[in-house]
Amino acid sequence: MTQEELFKVLVAHCKEYGFIFPSSEIYDGLGAVYDYGQMGSELKNNIKNYWWAAMTRLNTNIVGIDSCIFMHPRIWEASGHVGAFNDPLIDNKDSKKRYRADVLIEDYIAKLEEKNNKEVEKGRRKFGESFDEEKFRQTNPNCVRNNEKMEQVRKRMADALNANDLKELRQIIIDCEISCPISGTKNWTDVRQFNLMFATQMGSVDGEANTIYLRPETAQGIFVNYLNVQKTGRMKIPFGIAQIGKAFRNEIVARQFIFRMREFEQMEMQFFIKPGTELDWFAKWKENRMAWHVNLGMGAENYRFHDHDKLAHYANAATDIEFNFPFGFKELEGIHSRTDFDLGNHQKFSGKKIQYFDPESGENYTPYVVETSIGVDRMVLAVLSHALREETLENGETRVVMAIPAPLAPVKVAVLPLVKKDGLPEVAQKIMNMLKFDFNCQYDEKDSIGKRYRRQDAIGTPFCVTIDHDTLEDGAVTVRYRDTMTQERVKIEDLPALIHKEVDLSVLLRNL
Ligand code: ATP
């Protein structure tokens, strides 16, 4: 299967097995809005629990809060979102399709990268064992030309974005001869800025209403509660505040399933530090967050850092953790050194003093901030796209299996009586009652045992427990493992310990 085909299969699979549905589907859906079904919401909760525990339980100096989506409109002026939370958009006059100018240029760069990869593969086939990839990339004339072009376009785009030069952005598109993927033409409009915040009205009387925004990030809810938490929690710098919550962005180009949504969820942590220490903390959080990802066992080679050429209006260092999605390496998480931009501006805009008194040095200062920010939905997509595989078995049959890391799996155990009679369902129910307090279990007695195993594979259940006639004699059951499909006989009373050591969140946390 090509990666593109795999992605299509994944979207269909997510719907068929209750992970993710298009929102408002019976009304033909709503652009870039998705609902989580019975499996998806379990997976999402498990991801959130892993993040929340890693932040607030493993770090004694990080606490969690839950602030509101609605906030005072001045907050978004202070944060810079009213003035600068824009995307540069461009329309193709023939297809009438709208694009983000920077994304069109990034796609162009990705195509050049793709061309180089193809050259490398050709070289590898030609030179066999003696092939030196790095040297090849540096000396092959086509690769050298593409590298220079990529470097030049990247630099031009970063300069144009930093200078907010929309004419230059359009010129890059023209100079690179980028055409619309739909119409195939290069008939482009000017580039315009588009604010991504959703606005609504608060107050019941028309006219007296105030414009307020749906938050485009959860971070500001943390900044405006900095003083509350620091004082009531008697927090000493360095310390962090973590939060999980919904965010809303009126994305121009919403595509790639749950990768870019208009309503999504973020897990953000703001770490408050002494000015001057930010680059050390930035490096520590980069390492810490990468370890959190790699700990899931989805392959260290599937992650990479991408340092930003264009820094956001608030940052003095920034990097993305990119994941190898079916459509290439793309941002999964951002780590930003935000200086005192946010607290400083809230101090200015609110007129309230937002400072920290350092009891050791006797100094007062506005803390600096390093933040880590990850989209829950992108994390769900990373897990699902990595997990989905179609395997051909020894007997020639195929099976679709979701090899979700066991602690994140929506259902941990399926309890399956071999037949619907002879007292087996009763024993199965007893086992359900024993396990349900610790694990999310599913009971299934319909269809052949083979079909039931397949259904559990498709939702990623790590353990199937089968009760057969021997169980009535020996008090043991057959445990079947999802990934290897191997089976073993286990005493009923040994089940909880066996399952615990694979699926418990604490197992993941201990490895961090
Ligand atoms: P992108 O460049 O992809 O638009 P961003 O740099 O604007 O993302 P941040 O503002 O750094 O993203 O947001 C932090 C995290 O929130 C991202 O790493 C991503 O995981 C998630 N996120 C941002 N926008 C969306 C969205 N529209 N849908 C789903 N997740 C998102």
Side-chain angles (χ1 to χ4, degrees):
M1 244 194 291
T2 63
Q3 288 297 80
E4 212 168 295
E5 284 162 350
L6 178 90
F7 193 51
K8 278 200 188 128
V9 172
L10 177 72
V11 175
H13 189 94
C14 282
K15 193 176 153 203
E16 190 179 346
Y17 287 93
F19 282 92
I20 297 158
F21 308 124
S23 171
S24 323
E25 201 187 2
I26 58 170
Y27 291 93
D28 295 333
L30 186 65
V33 187
Y34 290 90
D35 294 337
Y36 284 83
Q38 62 280 17
M39 292 301 142
S41 48
E42 290 286 343
L43 169 61
K44 203 174 173 204
N45 281 340
N46 293 340
I47 289 173
K48 290 196 273 187
N49 289 341
Y50 174 41
W51 184 88
W52 187 261
M55 282 294 174
T56 65
R57 275 203 256 152
L58 300 195
N59 299 286
T60 48
N61 59 350
I62 297 182
V63 291
I65 66 163
D66 185 12
S67 72
C68 275
I69 288 168
F70 290 149
M71 292 197 276
H72 197 286
R74 293 271 286 163
I75 286 173
W76 304 110
E77 289 172 36
S79 69
H81 284 83
V82 171
F85 194 52
N86 302 318
D87 273 347
L89 66 85
I90 189 166
D91 296 85
N92 181 269
K93 290 184 195 163
D94 300 315
S95 67
K96 309 267 182 275
K97 287 279 170 202
R98 180 161 287 177
Y99 300 92
R100 256 172 70 177
D102 55 333
V103 171
L104 280 179
I105 299 169
E106 270 166 14
D107 286 350
Y108 170 80
I109 294 172
K111 273 194 198 131
L112 290 177
E113 216 162 63
E114 188 60 23
K115 275 190 188 161
N116 275 1
N117 290 342
K118 283 199 179 131
E119 287 291 336
V120 167
E121 281 322 305
K122 259 201 271 170
R124 197 188 305 283
R125 279 199 299 275
K126 192 166 153 199
F127 295 111
E129 293 236 318
S130 60
F131 184 63
D132 178 343
E133 180 175 335
E134 208 175 311
K135 193 160 160 219
F136 184 88
R137 282 184 186 274
Q138 284 163 7
T139 52
N140 173 279
N142 290 340
C143 285
V144 171
R145 204 178 38 250
N146 288 339
N147 283 339
E148 278 167 7
K149 183 87 200 163
M150 281 192 280
E151 193 52 36
Q152 182 212 3
V153 174
R154 253 193 215 116
K155 164 113 186 38
R156 266 182 85 183
M157 182 172 78
D159 289 348
L161 289 171
N162 278 326
N164 208 3
D165 187 345
L166 303 181
K167 281 213 174 85
E168 168 67 357
L169 270 182
R170 180 171 191 276
Q171 199 53 47
I172 300 172
I173 291 174
I174 304 292
D175 292 349
C176 294
E177 301 187 6
I178 296 173
S179 50
C180 165
I182 307 289
S183 67
T185 71
K186 303 181 184 77
N187 196 5
W188 297 109
T189 61
D190 287 341
V191 176
R192 282 164 297 146
Q193 290 288 25
F194 176 77
N195 194 290
L196 298 182
M197 281 200 294
F198 283 100
T200 186
Q201 252 78 49
M202 185 174 250
S204 54
V205 187
D206 242 9
E208 283 176 24
N210 267 324
T211 296
I212 57 165
Y213 300 99
L214 300 189
R215 65 180 179 198
E217 61 174 27
T218 57
Q220 296 305 321
I222 291 180
F223 291 123
V224 298
N225 276 298
Y226 160 81
L227 279 180
N228 285 336
V229 175
Q230 194 270 319
K231 292 209 166 114
T232 57
R234 292 180 296 122
M235 308 302 289
K236 290 212 169 56
I237 274 179
F239 75 92
I241 306 179
Q243 167 159 240
I244 300 178
K246 289 272 183 156
F248 304 82
R249 295 183 189 180
N250 200 0
E251 298 281 1
I252 303 167
V253 193
R255 52 175 191 177
Q256 287 154 339
F257 195 34
I258 56 169
F259 181 81
R260 192 174 297 287
M261 298 156 90
R262 297 200 166 106
E263 173 178 343
F264 57 102
E265 213 166 351
Q266 289 184 314
M267 307 190 278
E268 296 199 293
M269 193 280 299
Q270 264 60 45
F271 201 67
F272 299 92
I273 52 179
K274 190 171 176 178
T277 63
E278 69 272 18
L279 293 181
D280 282 347
W281 282 111
F282 179 68
K284 277 190 192 133
W285 278 108
K286 269 176 80 168
E287 197 186 317
N288 180 304
R289 292 304 303 147
M290 187 58 100
W292 183 90
H293 286 286
V294 173
N295 190 35
L296 283 170
M298 302 201 299
E301 70 285 0
N302 287 320
Y303 303 86
R304 70 180 187 196
F305 286 114
H306 171 245
D307 295 330
H308 285 207
D309 297 323
K310 184 206 174 208
L311 291 174
H313 57 274
Y314 49 73
N316 75 352
T319 195
D320 295 337
I321 294 179
E322 295 186 335
F323 181 76
N324 190 7
F325 287 101
F327 37 84
F329 273 95
K330 289 272 172 336
E331 173 177 347
L332 171 59
E333 169 157 7
I335 300 162
H336 311 123
S337 168
R338 288 176 84 129
T339 68
D340 60 355
F341 176 85
D342 303 87
L343 289 184
N345 267 7
H346 287 306
Q347 186 161 259
K348 243 187 266 159
F349 277 69
S350 68
K352 303 270 177 346
K353 197 169 158 206
I354 307 180
Q355 295 235 312
Y356 177 74
F357 173 71
D358 190 331
E360 270 155 40
S361 66
E363 288 170 89
N364 265 314
Y365 57 80
T366 307
Y368 269 32
V369 170
V370 169
E371 80 169 357
T372 71
S373 171
I374 171 171
V376 182
D377 313 272
R378 280 194 195 174
M379 190 61 203
V380 170
L381 185 58
V383 170
L384 289 176
S385 59
H386 180 265
L388 183 69
R389 42 201 82 149
E390 207 177 271
E391 290 176 357
T392 308
L393 307 178
E394 273 170 17
N395 63 7
E397 281 178 21
T398 54
R399 73 160 183 160
V400 175
V401 58
M402 273 284 189
I404 298 172
L408 301 184
V411 176
K412 309 296 193 214
V413 198
V415 180
L416 316 169
L418 190 61
V419 290
K420 250 192 281 184
K421 53 183 186 187
D422 305 334
L424 302 191
E426 287 75 8
V427 179
Q429 283 299 348
K430 269 195 198 142
I431 294 177
M432 276 293 285
N433 285 336
M434 174 176 88
L435 297 177
K436 72 182 180 191
F437 299 99
D438 291 314
F439 314 108
N440 191 21
C441 306
Q442 210 174 61
Y443 178 83
D444 190 3
E445 57 178 26
K446 203 167 164 286
D447 298 324
S448 71
I449 195 73
K451 272 196 185 151
R452 282 182 271 169
Y453 284 157
R454 291 291 171 276
R455 277 204 289 270
Q456 295 302 329
D457 287 344
I459 58 171
T461 308
F463 294 98
C464 286
V465 169
T466 304
I467 294 91
D468 56 25
H469 292 94
D470 289 343
T471 307
L472 305 176
E473 308 297 322
D474 63 4
V477 289
T478 301
V479 171
R480 183 245 190 204
Y481 296 91
R482 175 193 71 194
D483 296 346
T484 56
M485 296 196 298
T486 49
Q487 305 190 357
E488 72 174 320
R489 227 33 213 172
V490 174
K491 286 268 173 219
I492 291 173
E493 63 268 26
D494 294 338
L495 280 175
L498 177 88
I499 299 165
H500 252 295
K501 72 175 197 293
E502 292 283 325
V503 309
D504 215 54
L505 188 59
S506 63
V507 176
L508 270 185
L509 294 172
R510 260 179 239 286
N511 285 337
L512 273 177

